[in-house]
Amino acid sequence: MSETLKQLERLRAGLNAVTYPGDADRARALANQLDDYIIPRLKDVDAPLLAVVGGSTGAGKSTLVNSVVGAEVTASGVIRPTTRQPSLIAHPADIEFFNSPRVLPGLPREHGAPNPQALSLRIVESALIPAGLALIDAPDFDSIDDTNRQLASQLLAAADLWVFVTTPSRYADNVVWNFLDDAAGRNIEVVVILNRVDEQAAATVPDDLRRMLADKGLDARLFVVPFHPDPPLPVEEIRAFLHGLAKDAAARREISLKTVAGALQQLVAGTEDLAHAHDLRTERASQLGEAFDDAYRRSVTHVTDATSDGNLLRTEVMARWQDFVGTSDVFRSVDRWFSTTRDRLGSFFTGKPAPVREVETEIETGLHAVIVDAAHTAAARAWSYLGAQAPQLREAAPSELAHAGDDISERAAALVRQWQADLVRYIEDNAASKRKTARLASLGLNAVTVALMIVVFASTAGLTGGEIAIAGGSAVVGQKLLETIFGEEAVRQMAKQARQDLDARVTALMAEERARFDHIAQGLTAGTTAAELRESGAAALQEVGDV
């Protein structure tokens, strides 16, 4: 039995860890059934039976309970709903058991006169009811009061035996049969009492009710109580049945095990529903995640393309670069070209240093704009997809997800600065020899850094006609300038490393932006997994089946 209880407690823990709105409420209701009935009953299968008397509003439950007990143990009247505070009537020998938290632990106990405002279980001692069986007069399960209905459902879920009271005018109501269907699903022992049956109804209603019970596959015992204007009601047959059950320990045990097994089967079916819902959410989360990933992958591709096809070199950058070095020396010998170019560059530094700085600024501005635009575009795509595929999730999500993070401009600027700092480091690391250092010093670190950026960004891909001559030729000038200092292979490696470093930094930045959407998918799959629910449910069912 200890292993059985261990598995049930594991199942309860899994249900309590379900967090998704709506599902969490269903999971708590299932966990409550474990606490209110299944676990306490399995801890003591020979404990007194609990019979819950429920039914439609005005069916006469309280009067019937008083009649069966043979004393006024619960309040009855004409005001609806009459029963607000449930009353549990038990023999003095069983009171200690029902006062303990082993049964309905979530309900506080009270003794004494009924308290219509109390959300508690009233305990009533009566030697007129046999030991081994207790009755609960429950609130109406079709009450206009939400609290009454919820309490009635909680009590019924904790019952070993359901006693349903209905009348000829209410026996066919859907709400009655919803509860009886639930009883059939739990395989619980059910007693149906057709109350207030006059001569006209007696001719047809009992037989029709028996037919309906058979059609539902519900093997319920039916008692018919004739109409009686004043209590007590003629319930001798019902009293005899209940007293006989109380005295038969083997019958009580059989009912207990049958009911607890049926209750657990129904609970595991509810757990499977939760697991299936989790499966659907997991699939949706995966689809959303893939869409978000795609939006930000495209943003990285956009930055890569925009910084690889010469776009950054089509505006002021090229004009500044042309003013700075020109392209006519490309076809001269390297030494002569370097000497001429060095003189030309030197003339700028001895006068105004603005031209090289202007080129650098234009590149920084263009690269920064491309990154920021890509981040905003990715956020807009992800937000749009969320609205189209999961509008409720988007409604609950913060609206700032519709655009890039508020600090995207600052982070993009930091990215550009850090990347440029690494370019300087590449250049300095590759200028180790005295000759290279001298040439680097003669040209200026800024000028060489700008030349490396030009080489990284100037590709003829996507350019046509004169643009090839401008961007491509300018890249050659920058590359030749670098080669006179570092050599062809070193320049190739520097440009490749600079390109990879920029792509990695952009990818990391977009991953940070993508992470702003993580909580949406994570919220769909948080809490107990579908596999954990199924595994714990199956294990618990197996253990109870072996009892």
Side-chain angles (χ1 to χ4, degrees), residues 97-176:
F97 175 79
F98 289 110
N99 266 329
S100 75
R102 288 177 292 178
V103 179
L104 293 164
L107 281 180
R109 270 51 170 177
E110 284 194 14
H111 300 77
N115 180 0
Q117 306 304 318
L119 297 175
S120 58
L121 181 63
R122 174 174 170 258
I123 304 294
V124 181
E125 293 186 36
S126 176
L128 296 175
I129 192 168
L133 175 72
L135 296 177
I136 288 185
D137 182 19
D140 305 328
F141 60 70
D142 61 348
S143 172
I144 59 173
D145 188 307
D146 289 342
T147 302
N148 277 2
R149 291 199 306 273
Q150 293 168 4
L151 184 55
S153 296
Q154 182 182 359
L155 295 170
L156 287 167
D160 296 300
L161 172 69
W162 285 5
V163 179
F164 270 90
V165 183
T166 189
T167 63
S169 62
R170 301 295 302 275
Y171 78 95
D173 288 356
N174 284 335
V175 67
V176 173

Side-chain angles (χ1 to χ4, degrees), residues 318 322 327 460 463-475:
M318 283 302 32
Q322 290 299 307
T327 60
T460 57
L463 302 182
T464 59
E467 291 175 327
I468 293 178
I470 295 172
S474 299

